[in-house]
Amino acid sequence: MISVAKVQRRNAWRYYMRGVAFGDGRRPVGQSLKDAQEMAGLPPGVWRGRGLSALGLTDGQGVTERQMKLLFGEGRHPDADRMERELLDDGVDPATARRATVLGQPIEEIEHRKQTPLLALDFVFRPQASLVVLWALGDDRTRRVIERAHERAIATTLRWLEDEVTETRWASGRGRAKAPALVVAAFRHYDNRNGFPLLHEHCLIANRAQRPDSSWYALDTARLYKNIVAADTLYTLQMTTEVCEELGLATVPREVTPGLRPVMEIAGVDQELIDWSSTRRRRIEDVLEGITDDYVKKHGRLPGERARHGLAWWAAQETRPDKKTPRPLDQLLAWWRVSALLKFGQRMVDELLQRCQAAGAAIRARVGPWVDTALATVDVAAVVFTVRGVFYRRHVLAEARRHLLETLRGRAYAPGIDTYIADRALERYSRQLTVPQKGRRAPAPDQLSYTAEFTSPSRWWIAGTDGKPPRESTRYERAKVASHALQNAIRTALTAPPARDEAPAATASAAPPPAGDHDQAAPHGVDHPGGDAAQSPAQRVAAIHAHQQAAMPQEYLEGRTTDPETWITSPQNLAHLAALTRAAEARGRTVEEQADQTKQAHQAKQAPAADAQQHHTAQPDQSRAVGPDL
């Protein structure tokens, strides 16, 4: 998973050098960063990215405090001191010498326009909670495998950002150019602020990139923000796959929030261990519940996706503890092990990897390394359309990677199959909305908007559990229902026997594509040349269907809210809703009766006083009325 933060203030680099570079601790005043890291046993920061060669740096080289101040504090070359001295020795005036070390537009000019310069973006990479538990309590080999997979997944994600996403901009965004070279300073952390295991890495991406003409310009950070989800899914898919293949593990879906997308965790890691390592998450969830209630009272509705992210950030800030004293990894590992042993016992801790491998072997025995790209295309298109309505290629690509993670369950996948599924979904089931205009620059492929012609399922109500009231289905649940309906229709059409006077129809998932249409490398695809030609189309579809069903675990098929048994239209849920309705009506009648009794009692108390007042005011009227008759 990836989270992003802005580095804007000119002194923000101090926070990263005093805290982030020091393991989220508080570095003693007057002590150099290198000495503090060595005394605390912390790994030093390293440089990454393809843009290092233009700055005279190498990949993996250590990050110094002076380099951080120059690049992320002043927007200058990391080796600006040496360059400036050489220019001054050559007789260049100080102002010109300093300007020669500035990368792109000087920060002073941006601040002179009353604008806040964006110096960098902090990308934080962290694996799933189950992988963190396995890394913290596993043996040395398991820990090395997870750390190596973590490093490679980060490198793969950064390369994808450089190749597909990053661009430089100038002239207020009117000019743009590809920037396939980033400058990144990476700092690895091992724990959270509570001292519990949390393997993660801060990657500070400098907001400067070099064009082919050797000039430096700012990055188009809006493009980076828009592609965060696609980068997140790539990192998760890459890391999870490598760890599962190396250790013989598999993944299972874990529902964190009812109705939302499940998280693919390592099979065999107990929920108790995940809760043990996620102490801060529980505190955030407690605060988030209260904040969400206040939001509902104020707006009269549940928060949307963007509002949920904002409330979660607010809850995280409210529960953020103070900085701690960093400790070496060996001390942390010993403390984590003792804490887990005291809470769960030696057997549960020592046999963690064996349980995960046994669960992984059972899943791998019934899930083969194949992907039905035809059904994957339908699933991706239906889910993205139902959730968003109007979407872009980055949304489809992210959903394709999620599909691979859920279907392969940790199996290796052919490189490029995610891109192939996304392109097929846009080609076959999407309709382009963006219309190029004459006289204007043609939009890039990732700037094109699309929609689809699928029928969106109507909303339904889902029965509550543990005494909770029924809730409305989420967009993700409706999207999965739409996807399952389309896939079942395709399977039915493929398995239906042809008419006697007609030849069997060629289908996307049964018939080989034409020559030159390379779906993916064997053995991951089932609708590409190289499949079993001896099987009939119906037999192949049946095998595909069996594989897809095997890829989804029992708890995913039957325990998920997309299962019809959990819908409100089932007899059990209708009976449950009727009971809730009768109880609510009974409570309403009781409240009304109590209100009537209170009203009657109040009226009874007021009646004598009203009669006395009426009698008192009526006497003068009677005397005046009788007077004239005498």
Side-chain angles (χ1 to χ4, degrees), residues 4 121 123 161-162 165-167 182 205-207 219-229 231:
V4 184
L121 292 177
F123 276 52
L161 290 174
E162 291 174 330
V165 178
T166 55
E167 289 184 354
L182 295 176
I205 301 178
N207 188 24
L219 291 172
D220 185 0
T221 54
R223 286 176 56 86
L224 288 174
Y225 269 100
K226 291 177 181 178
N227 288 271
I228 286 175
V229 177

mmCIF file with all atom_site columns, all heavy atoms in Angstrom, residues 4 121 123 161-162 165-167 182 205-207 219-229 231:
data_model
loop_
_atom_site.group_PDB
_atom_site.id
_atom_site.type_symbol
_atom_site.label_atom_id
_atom_site.label_alt_id
_atom_site.label_comp_id
_atom_site.label_asym_id
_atom_site.label_entity_id
_atom_site.label_seq_id
_atom_site.pdbx_PDB_ins_code
_atom_site.Cartn_x
_atom_site.Cartn_y
_atom_site.Cartn_z
_atom_site.occupancy
_atom_site.B_iso_or_equiv
_atom_site.pdbx_formal_charge
_atom_site.auth_seq_id
_atom_site.auth_comp_id
_atom_site.auth_asym_id
_atom_site.auth_atom_id
_atom_site.pdbx_PDB_model_num
ATOM 1   N N   . VAL A 1 4   ? 0.683  9.132  0.344   1.00 0.00 ? 4   VAL A N   1
ATOM 2   C CA  . VAL A 1 4   ? 1.449  10.251 -0.202  1.00 0.00 ? 4   VAL A CA  1
ATOM 3   C C   . VAL A 1 4   ? 1.250  11.476 0.673   1.00 0.00 ? 4   VAL A C   1
ATOM 4   O O   . VAL A 1 4   ? 0.148  11.731 1.172   1.00 0.00 ? 4   VAL A O   1
ATOM 5   C CB  . VAL A 1 4   ? 1.012  10.562 -1.653  1.00 0.00 ? 4   VAL A CB  1
ATOM 6   C CG1 . VAL A 1 4   ? 1.883  11.670 -2.247  1.00 0.00 ? 4   VAL A CG1 1
ATOM 7   C CG2 . VAL A 1 4   ? 1.101  9.318  -2.512  1.00 0.00 ? 4   VAL A CG2 1
ATOM 8   N N   . LEU A 1 121 ? 7.474  15.002 -2.956  1.00 0.00 ? 121 LEU A N   1
ATOM 9   C CA  . LEU A 1 121 ? 6.344  14.165 -2.547  1.00 0.00 ? 121 LEU A CA  1
ATOM 10  C C   . LEU A 1 121 ? 6.900  12.973 -1.776  1.00 0.00 ? 121 LEU A C   1
ATOM 11  O O   . LEU A 1 121 ? 7.866  12.335 -2.216  1.00 0.00 ? 121 LEU A O   1
ATOM 12  C CB  . LEU A 1 121 ? 5.547  13.676 -3.759  1.00 0.00 ? 121 LEU A CB  1
ATOM 13  C CG  . LEU A 1 121 ? 4.768  14.726 -4.542  1.00 0.00 ? 121 LEU A CG  1
ATOM 14  C CD1 . LEU A 1 121 ? 4.088  14.078 -5.753  1.00 0.00 ? 121 LEU A CD1 1
ATOM 15  C CD2 . LEU A 1 121 ? 3.737  15.412 -3.674  1.00 0.00 ? 121 LEU A CD2 1
ATOM 16  N N   . PHE A 1 123 ? 6.320  9.408  -0.816  1.00 0.00 ? 123 PHE A N   1
ATOM 17  C CA  . PHE A 1 123 ? 5.611  8.159  -1.082  1.00 0.00 ? 123 PHE A CA  1
ATOM 18  C C   . PHE A 1 123 ? 6.033  7.146  -0.012  1.00 0.00 ? 123 PHE A C   1
ATOM 19  O O   . PHE A 1 123 ? 7.214  6.841  0.110   1.00 0.00 ? 123 PHE A O   1
ATOM 20  C CB  . PHE A 1 123 ? 5.955  7.609  -2.468  1.00 0.00 ? 123 PHE A CB  1
ATOM 21  C CG  . PHE A 1 123 ? 5.145  8.211  -3.582  1.00 0.00 ? 123 PHE A CG  1
ATOM 22  C CD1 . PHE A 1 123 ? 5.049  9.578  -3.719  1.00 0.00 ? 123 PHE A CD1 1
ATOM 23  C CD2 . PHE A 1 123 ? 4.487  7.412  -4.497  1.00 0.00 ? 123 PHE A CD2 1
ATOM 24  C CE1 . PHE A 1 123 ? 4.308  10.146 -4.746  1.00 0.00 ? 123 PHE A CE1 1
ATOM 25  C CE2 . PHE A 1 123 ? 3.741  7.960  -5.520  1.00 0.00 ? 123 PHE A CE2 1
ATOM 26  C CZ  . PHE A 1 123 ? 3.656  9.335  -5.656  1.00 0.00 ? 123 PHE A CZ  1
ATOM 27  N N   . LEU A 1 161 ? 6.441  4.309  -12.788 1.00 0.00 ? 161 LEU A N   1
ATOM 28  C CA  . LEU A 1 161 ? 6.128  5.730  -12.740 1.00 0.00 ? 161 LEU A CA  1
ATOM 29  C C   . LEU A 1 161 ? 7.003  6.517  -13.709 1.00 0.00 ? 161 LEU A C   1
ATOM 30  O O   . LEU A 1 161 ? 6.526  7.435  -14.401 1.00 0.00 ? 161 LEU A O   1
ATOM 31  C CB  . LEU A 1 161 ? 6.316  6.258  -11.319 1.00 0.00 ? 161 LEU A CB  1
ATOM 32  C CG  . LEU A 1 161 ? 5.300  5.801  -10.265 1.00 0.00 ? 161 LEU A CG  1
ATOM 33  C CD1 . LEU A 1 161 ? 5.713  6.298  -8.885  1.00 0.00 ? 161 LEU A CD1 1
ATOM 34  C CD2 . LEU A 1 161 ? 3.899  6.289  -10.604 1.00 0.00 ? 161 LEU A CD2 1
ATOM 35  N N   . GLU A 1 162 ? 8.283  6.159  -13.781 1.00 0.00 ? 162 GLU A N   1
ATOM 36  C CA  . GLU A 1 162 ? 9.179  6.857  -14.694 1.00 0.00 ? 162 GLU A CA  1
ATOM 37  C C   . GLU A 1 162 ? 8.819  6.595  -16.149 1.00 0.00 ? 162 GLU A C   1
ATOM 38  O O   . GLU A 1 162 ? 8.886  7.503  -16.988 1.00 0.00 ? 162 GLU A O   1
ATOM 39  C CB  . GLU A 1 162 ? 10.617 6.432  -14.419 1.00 0.00 ? 162 GLU A CB  1
ATOM 40  C CG  . GLU A 1 162 ? 11.168 6.923  -13.089 1.00 0.00 ? 162 GLU A CG  1
ATOM 41  C CD  . GLU A 1 162 ? 12.534 6.381  -12.782 1.00 0.00 ? 162 GLU A CD  1
ATOM 42  O OE1 . GLU A 1 162 ? 12.839 5.248  -13.222 1.00 0.00 ? 162 GLU A OE1 1
ATOM 43  O OE2 . GLU A 1 162 ? 13.313 7.056  -12.094 1.00 0.00 ? 162 GLU A OE2 1
ATOM 44  N N   . VAL A 1 165 ? 4.250  7.512  -16.320 1.00 0.00 ? 165 VAL A N   1
ATOM 45  C CA  . VAL A 1 165 ? 3.483  8.565  -15.650 1.00 0.00 ? 165 VAL A CA  1
ATOM 46  C C   . VAL A 1 165 ? 4.194  9.910  -15.650 1.00 0.00 ? 165 VAL A C   1
ATOM 47  O O   . VAL A 1 165 ? 3.608  10.920 -16.043 1.00 0.00 ? 165 VAL A O   1
ATOM 48  C CB  . VAL A 1 165 ? 3.156  8.142  -14.199 1.00 0.00 ? 165 VAL A CB  1
ATOM 49  C CG1 . VAL A 1 165 ? 2.392  9.255  -13.485 1.00 0.00 ? 165 VAL A CG1 1
ATOM 50  C CG2 . VAL A 1 165 ? 2.346  6.851  -14.189 1.00 0.00 ? 165 VAL A CG2 1
ATOM 51  N N   . THR A 1 166 ? 5.441  9.953  -15.184 1.00 0.00 ? 166 THR A N   1
ATOM 52  C CA  . THR A 1 166 ? 6.070  11.237 -14.869 1.00 0.00 ? 166 THR A CA  1
ATOM 53  C C   . THR A 1 166 ? 6.266  12.106 -16.113 1.00 0.00 ? 166 THR A C   1
ATOM 54  O O   . THR A 1 166 ? 6.672  11.627 -17.175 1.00 0.00 ? 166 THR A O   1
ATOM 55  C CB  . THR A 1 166 ? 7.437  11.006 -14.198 1.00 0.00 ? 166 THR A CB  1
ATOM 56  O OG1 . THR A 1 166 ? 8.247  10.172 -15.036 1.00 0.00 ? 166 THR A OG1 1
ATOM 57  C CG2 . THR A 1 166 ? 7.255  10.349 -12.850 1.00 0.00 ? 166 THR A CG2 1
ATOM 58  N N   . GLU A 1 167 ? 5.977  13.381 -15.942 1.00 0.00 ? 167 GLU A N   1
ATOM 59  C CA  . GLU A 1 167 ? 6.184  14.393 -16.961 1.00 0.00 ? 167 GLU A CA  1
ATOM 60  C C   . GLU A 1 167 ? 6.650  15.671 -16.286 1.00 0.00 ? 167 GLU A C   1
ATOM 61  O O   . GLU A 1 167 ? 6.333  15.915 -15.119 1.00 0.00 ? 167 GLU A O   1
ATOM 62  C CB  . GLU A 1 167 ? 4.895  14.685 -17.751 1.00 0.00 ? 167 GLU A CB  1
ATOM 63  C CG  . GLU A 1 167 ? 4.462  13.590 -18.689 1.00 0.00 ? 167 GLU A CG  1
ATOM 64  C CD  . GLU A 1 167 ? 3.242  13.993 -19.498 1.00 0.00 ? 167 GLU A CD  1
ATOM 65  O OE1 . GLU A 1 167 ? 2.687  15.101 -19.227 1.00 0.00 ? 167 GLU A OE1 1
ATOM 66  O OE2 . GLU A 1 167 ? 2.832  13.239 -20.393 1.00 0.00 ? 167 GLU A OE2 1
ATOM 67  N N   . LEU A 1 182 ? 13.571 9.958  -12.241 1.00 0.00 ? 182 LEU A N   1
ATOM 68  C CA  . LEU A 1 182 ? 13.235 10.558 -10.960 1.00 0.00 ? 182 LEU A CA  1
ATOM 69  C C   . LEU A 1 182 ? 14.457 10.572 -10.044 1.00 0.00 ? 182 LEU A C   1
ATOM 70  O O   . LEU A 1 182 ? 15.363 9.755  -10.194 1.00 0.00 ? 182 LEU A O   1
ATOM 71  C CB  . LEU A 1 182 ? 12.097 9.792  -10.282 1.00 0.00 ? 182 LEU A CB  1
ATOM 72  C CG  . LEU A 1 182 ? 10.733 9.802  -10.968 1.00 0.00 ? 182 LEU A CG  1
ATOM 73  C CD1 . LEU A 1 182 ? 9.752  8.908  -10.210 1.00 0.00 ? 182 LEU A CD1 1
ATOM 74  C CD2 . LEU A 1 182 ? 10.190 11.215 -11.087 1.00 0.00 ? 182 LEU A CD2 1
ATOM 75  N N   . ILE A 1 205 ? 10.370 11.922 -3.398  1.00 0.00 ? 205 ILE A N   1
ATOM 76  C CA  . ILE A 1 205 ? 10.555 12.160 -4.827  1.00 0.00 ? 205 ILE A CA  1
ATOM 77  C C   . ILE A 1 205 ? 10.708 13.662 -5.034  1.00 0.00 ? 205 ILE A C   1
ATOM 78  O O   . ILE A 1 205 ? 9.778  14.436 -4.793  1.00 0.00 ? 205 ILE A O   1
ATOM 79  C CB  . ILE A 1 205 ? 9.367  11.616 -5.642  1.00 0.00 ? 205 ILE A CB  1
ATOM 80  C CG1 . ILE A 1 205 ? 9.211  10.116 -5.404  1.00 0.00 ? 205 ILE A CG1 1
ATOM 81  C CG2 . ILE A 1 205 ? 9.551  11.909 -7.123  1.00 0.00 ? 205 ILE A CG2 1
ATOM 82  C CD1 . ILE A 1 205 ? 8.033  9.503  -6.140  1.00 0.00 ? 205 ILE A CD1 1
ATOM 83  N N   . ALA A 1 206 ? 11.887 14.072 -5.464  1.00 0.00 ? 206 ALA A N   1
ATOM 84  C CA  . ALA A 1 206 ? 12.146 15.499 -5.677  1.00 0.00 ? 206 ALA A CA  1
ATOM 85  C C   . ALA A 1 206 ? 11.258 16.032 -6.791  1.00 0.00 ? 206 ALA A C   1
ATOM 86  O O   . ALA A 1 206 ? 11.046 15.365 -7.818  1.00 0.00 ? 206 ALA A O   1
ATOM 87  C CB  . ALA A 1 206 ? 13.615 15.717 -6.017  1.00 0.00 ? 206 ALA A CB  1
ATOM 88  N N   . ASN A 1 207 ? 10.748 17.231 -6.590  1.00 0.00 ? 207 ASN A N   1
ATOM 89  C CA  . ASN A 1 207 ? 9.867  17.861 -7.582  1.00 0.00 ? 207 ASN A CA  1
ATOM 90  C C   . ASN A 1 207 ? 10.700 18.562 -8.657  1.00 0.00 ? 207 ASN A C   1
ATOM 91  O O   . ASN A 1 207 ? 10.470 19.732 -8.984  1.00 0.00 ? 207 ASN A O   1
ATOM 92  C CB  . ASN A 1 207 ? 8.939  18.863 -6.897  1.00 0.00 ? 207 ASN A CB  1
ATOM 93  C CG  . ASN A 1 207 ? 7.874  19.399 -7.844  1.00 0.00 ? 207 ASN A CG  1
ATOM 94  O OD1 . ASN A 1 207 ? 7.529  18.755 -8.831  1.00 0.00 ? 207 ASN A OD1 1
ATOM 95  N ND2 . ASN A 1 207 ? 7.366  20.593 -7.553  1.00 0.00 ? 207 ASN A ND2 1
ATOM 96  N N   . LEU A 1 219 ? 7.937  18.656 -11.783 1.00 0.00 ? 219 LEU A N   1
ATOM 97  C CA  . LEU A 1 219 ? 7.137  17.521 -12.206 1.00 0.00 ? 219 LEU A CA  1
ATOM 98  C C   . LEU A 1 219 ? 5.665  17.910 -12.277 1.00 0.00 ? 219 LEU A C   1
ATOM 99  O O   . LEU A 1 219 ? 5.203  18.838 -11.589 1.00 0.00 ? 219 LEU A O   1
ATOM 100 C CB  . LEU A 1 219 ? 7.290  16.361 -11.221 1.00 0.00 ? 219 LEU A CB  1
ATOM 101 C CG  . LEU A 1 219 ? 8.638  15.654 -11.167 1.00 0.00 ? 219 LEU A CG  1
ATOM 102 C CD1 . LEU A 1 219 ? 8.653  14.670 -10.001 1.00 0.00 ? 219 LEU A CD1 1
ATOM 103 C CD2 . LEU A 1 219 ? 8.929  14.928 -12.474 1.00 0.00 ? 219 LEU A CD2 1
ATOM 104 N N   . ASP A 1 220 ? 4.939  17.199 -13.105 1.00 0.00 ? 220 ASP A N   1
ATOM 105 C CA  . ASP A 1 220 ? 3.488  17.333 -13.118 1.00 0.00 ? 220 ASP A CA  1
ATOM 106 C C   . ASP A 1 220 ? 2.952  16.451 -11.993 1.00 0.00 ? 220 ASP A C   1
ATOM 107 O O   . ASP A 1 220 ? 2.620  15.282 -12.188 1.00 0.00 ? 220 ASP A O   1
ATOM 108 C CB  . ASP A 1 220 ? 2.936  16.904 -14.479 1.00 0.00 ? 220 ASP A CB  1
ATOM 109 C CG  . ASP A 1 220 ? 1.435  17.150 -14.588 1.00 0.00 ? 220 ASP A CG  1
ATOM 110 O OD1 . ASP A 1 220 ? 0.839  17.645 -13.607 1.00 0.00 ? 220 ASP A OD1 1
ATOM 111 O OD2 . ASP A 1 220 ? 0.848  16.833 -15.642 1.00 0.00 ? 220 ASP A OD2 1
ATOM 112 N N   . THR A 1 221 ? 2.905  17.007 -10.795 1.00 0.00 ? 221 THR A N   1
ATOM 113 C CA  . THR A 1 221 ? 2.510  16.212 -9.629  1.00 0.00 ? 221 THR A CA  1
ATOM 114 C C   . THR A 1 221 ? 1.059  15.783 -9.686  1.00 0.00 ? 221 THR A C   1
ATOM 115 O O   . THR A 1 221 ? 0.685  14.805 -9.033  1.00 0.00 ? 221 THR A O   1
ATOM 116 C CB  . THR A 1 221 ? 2.764  17.023 -8.346  1.00 0.00 ? 221 THR A CB  1
ATOM 117 O OG1 . THR A 1 221 ? 2.096  18.286 -8.446  1.00 0.00 ? 221 THR A OG1 1
ATOM 118 C CG2 . THR A 1 221 ? 4.248  17.248 -8.153  1.00 0.00 ? 221 THR A CG2 1
ATOM 119 N N   . ALA A 1 222 ? 0.225  16.489 -10.447 1.00 0.00 ? 222 ALA A N   1
ATOM 120 C CA  . ALA A 1 222 ? -1.172 16.063 -10.573 1.00 0.00 ? 222 ALA A CA  1
ATOM 121 C C   . ALA A 1 222 ? -1.268 14.681 -11.209 1.00 0.00 ? 222 ALA A C   1
ATOM 122 O O   . ALA A 1 222 ? -2.107 13.859 -10.820 1.00 0.00 ? 222 ALA A O   1
ATOM 123 C CB  . ALA A 1 222 ? -1.964 17.085 -11.391 1.00 0.00 ? 222 ALA A CB  1
ATOM 124 N N   . ARG A 1 223 ? -0.409 14.397 -12.180 1.00 0.00 ? 223 ARG A N   1
ATOM 125 C CA  . ARG A 1 223 ? -0.396 13.067 -12.793 1.00 0.00 ? 223 ARG A CA  1
ATOM 126 C C   . ARG A 1 223 ? 0.039  12.004 -11.789 1.00 0.00 ? 223 ARG A C   1
ATOM 127 O O   . ARG A 1 223 ? -0.498 10.884 -11.791 1.00 0.00 ? 223 ARG A O   1
ATOM 128 C CB  . ARG A 1 223 ? 0.540  13.059 -14.001 1.00 0.00 ? 223 ARG A CB  1
ATOM 129 C CG  . ARG A 1 223 ? -0.005 13.774 -15.215 1.00 0.00 ? 223 ARG A CG  1
ATOM 130 C CD  . ARG A 1 223 ? 1.023  13.794 -16.334 1.00 0.00 ? 223 ARG A CD  1
ATOM 131 N NE  . ARG A 1 223 ? 1.466  12.449 -16.679 1.00 0.00 ? 223 ARG A NE  1
ATOM 132 C CZ  . ARG A 1 223 ? 0.843  11.645 -17.537 1.00 0.00 ? 223 ARG A CZ  1
ATOM 133 N NH1 . ARG A 1 223 ? -0.262 12.040 -18.136 1.00 0.00 ? 223 ARG A NH1 1
ATOM 134 N NH2 . ARG A 1 223 ? 1.317  10.447 -17.808 1.00 0.00 ? 223 ARG A NH2 1
ATOM 135 N N   . LEU A 1 224 ? 0.991  12.337 -10.941 1.00 0.00 ? 224 LEU A N   1
ATOM 136 C CA  . LEU A 1 224 ? 1.420  11.374 -9.923  1.00 0.00 ? 224 LEU A CA  1
ATOM 137 C C   . LEU A 1 224 ? 0.279  11.065 -8.957  1.00 0.00 ? 224 LEU A C   1
ATOM 138 O O   . LEU A 1 224 ? 0.047  9.904  -8.609  1.00 0.00 ? 224 LEU A O   1
ATOM 139 C CB  . LEU A 1 224 ? 2.623  11.924 -9.167  1.00 0.00 ? 224 LEU A CB  1
ATOM 140 C CG  . LEU A 1 224 ? 3.946  11.966 -9.942  1.00 0.00 ? 224 LEU A CG  1
ATOM 141 C CD1 . LEU A 1 224 ? 5.014  12.667 -9.117  1.00 0.00 ? 224 LEU A CD1 1
ATOM 142 C CD2 . LEU A 1 224 ? 4.407  10.564 -10.305 1.00 0.00 ? 224 LEU A CD2 1
ATOM 143 N N   . TYR A 1 225 ? -0.440 12.089 -8.537  1.00 0.00 ? 225 TYR A N   1
ATOM 144 C CA  . TYR A 1 225 ? -1.554 11.864 -7.625  1.00 0.00 ? 225 TYR A CA  1
ATOM 145 C C   . TYR A 1 225 ? -2.635 11.017 -8.283  1.00 0.00 ? 225 TYR A C   1
ATOM 146 O O   . TYR A 1 225 ? -3.231 10.137 -7.646  1.00 0.00 ? 225 TYR A O   1
ATOM 147 C CB  . TYR A 1 225 ? -2.140 13.198 -7.175  1.00 0.00 ? 225 TYR A CB  1
ATOM 148 C CG  . TYR A 1 225 ? -1.518 13.742 -5.915  1.00 0.00 ? 225 TYR A CG  1
ATOM 149 C CD1 . TYR A 1 225 ? -0.544 14.729 -5.964  1.00 0.00 ? 225 TYR A CD1 1
ATOM 150 C CD2 . TYR A 1 225 ? -1.892 13.276 -4.665  1.00 0.00 ? 225 TYR A CD2 1
ATOM 151 C CE1 . TYR A 1 225 ? 0.039  15.235 -4.814  1.00 0.00 ? 225 TYR A CE1 1
ATOM 152 C CE2 . TYR A 1 225 ? -1.327 13.764 -3.506  1.00 0.00 ? 225 TYR A CE2 1
ATOM 153 C CZ  . TYR A 1 225 ? -0.363 14.752 -3.585  1.00 0.00 ? 225 TYR A CZ  1
ATOM 154 O OH  . TYR A 1 225 ? 0.205  15.234 -2.446  1.00 0.00 ? 225 TYR A OH  1
ATOM 155 N N   . LYS A 1 226 ? -2.926 11.265 -9.542  1.00 0.00 ? 226 LYS A N   1
ATOM 156 C CA  . LYS A 1 226 ? -3.983 10.513 -10.222 1.00 0.00 ? 226 LYS A CA  1
ATOM 157 C C   . LYS A 1 226 ? -3.637 9.044  -10.389 1.00 0.00 ? 226 LYS A C   1
ATOM 158 O O   . LYS A 1 226 ? -4.536 8.207  -10.478 1.00 0.00 ? 226 LYS A O   1
ATOM 159 C CB  . LYS A 1 226 ? -4.259 11.133 -11.595 1.00 0.00 ? 226 LYS A CB  1
ATOM 160 C CG  . LYS A 1 226 ? -4.903 12.506 -11.521 1.00 0.00 ? 226 LYS A CG  1
ATOM 161 C CD  . LYS A 1 226 ? -5.083 13.085 -12.912 1.00 0.00 ? 226 LYS A CD  1
ATOM 162 C CE  . LYS A 1 226 ? -5.717 14.480 -12.855 1.00 0.00 ? 226 LYS A CE  1
ATOM 163 N NZ  . LYS A 1 226 ? -5.856 15.068 -14.210 1.00 0.00 ? 226 LYS A NZ  1
ATOM 164 N N   . ASN A 1 227 ? -2.362 8.712  -10.448 1.00 0.00 ? 227 ASN A N   1
ATOM 165 C CA  . ASN A 1 227 ? -1.944 7.332  -10.683 1.00 0.00 ? 227 ASN A CA  1
ATOM 166 C C   . ASN A 1 227 ? -1.470 6.637  -9.411  1.00 0.00 ? 227 ASN A C   1
ATOM 167 O O   . ASN A 1 227 ? -0.810 5.589  -9.498  1.00 0.00 ? 227 ASN A O   1
ATOM 168 C CB  . ASN A 1 227 ? -0.821 7.298  -11.730 1.00 0.00 ? 227 ASN A CB  1
ATOM 169 C CG  . ASN A 1 227 ? -1.314 7.597  -13.123 1.00 0.00 ? 227 ASN A CG  1
ATOM 170 O OD1 . ASN A 1 227 ? -1.719 6.702  -13.867 1.00 0.00 ? 227 ASN A OD1 1
ATOM 171 N ND2 . ASN A 1 227 ? -1.281 8.870  -13.495 1.00 0.00 ? 227 ASN A ND2 1
ATOM 172 N N   . ILE A 1 228 ? -1.786 7.178  -8.255  1.00 0.00 ? 228 ILE A N   1
ATOM 173 C CA  . ILE A 1 228 ? -1.349 6.554  -7.003  1.00 0.00 ? 228 ILE A CA  1
ATOM 174 C C   . ILE A 1 228 ? -1.977 5.180  -6.840  1.00 0.00 ? 228 ILE A C   1
ATOM 175 O O   . ILE A 1 228 ? -1.313 4.209  -6.436  1.00 0.00 ? 228 ILE A O   1
ATOM 176 C CB  . ILE A 1 228 ? -1.684 7.475  -5.817  1.00 0.00 ? 228 ILE A CB  1
ATOM 177 C CG1 . ILE A 1 228 ? -0.733 8.664  -5.795  1.00 0.00 ? 228 ILE A CG1 1
ATOM 178 C CG2 . ILE A 1 228 ? -1.583 6.711  -4.500  1.00 0.00 ? 228 ILE A CG2 1
ATOM 179 C CD1 . ILE A 1 228 ? -1.064 9.689  -4.736  1.00 0.00 ? 228 ILE A CD1 1
ATOM 180 N N   . VAL A 1 229 ? -3.275 5.049  -7.137  1.00 0.00 ? 229 VAL A N   1
ATOM 181 C CA  . VAL A 1 229 ? -3.955 3.762  -6.943  1.00 0.00 ? 229 VAL A CA  1
ATOM 182 C C   . VAL A 1 229 ? -3.376 2.702  -7.869  1.00 0.00 ? 229 VAL A C   1
ATOM 183 O O   . VAL A 1 229 ? -3.152 1.553  -7.460  1.00 0.00 ? 229 VAL A O   1
ATOM 184 C CB  . VAL A 1 229 ? -5.465 3.928  -7.161  1.00 0.00 ? 229 VAL A CB  1
ATOM 185 C CG1 . VAL A 1 229 ? -6.171 2.586  -7.033  1.00 0.00 ? 229 VAL A CG1 1
ATOM 186 C CG2 . VAL A 1 229 ? -6.044 4.917  -6.164  1.00 0.00 ? 229 VAL A CG2 1
ATOM 187 N N   . ALA A 1 231 ? -0.322 2.646  -9.035  1.00 0.00 ? 231 ALA A N   1
ATOM 188 C CA  . ALA A 1 231 ? 0.987  2.311  -8.489  1.00 0.00 ? 231 ALA A CA  1
ATOM 189 C C   . ALA A 1 231 ? 0.860  1.457  -7.238  1.00 0.00 ? 231 ALA A C   1
ATOM 190 O O   . ALA A 1 231 ? 1.654  0.529  -7.013  1.00 0.00 ? 231 ALA A O   1
ATOM 191 C CB  . ALA A 1 231 ? 1.762  3.595  -8.178  1.00 0.00 ? 231 ALA A CB  1
#
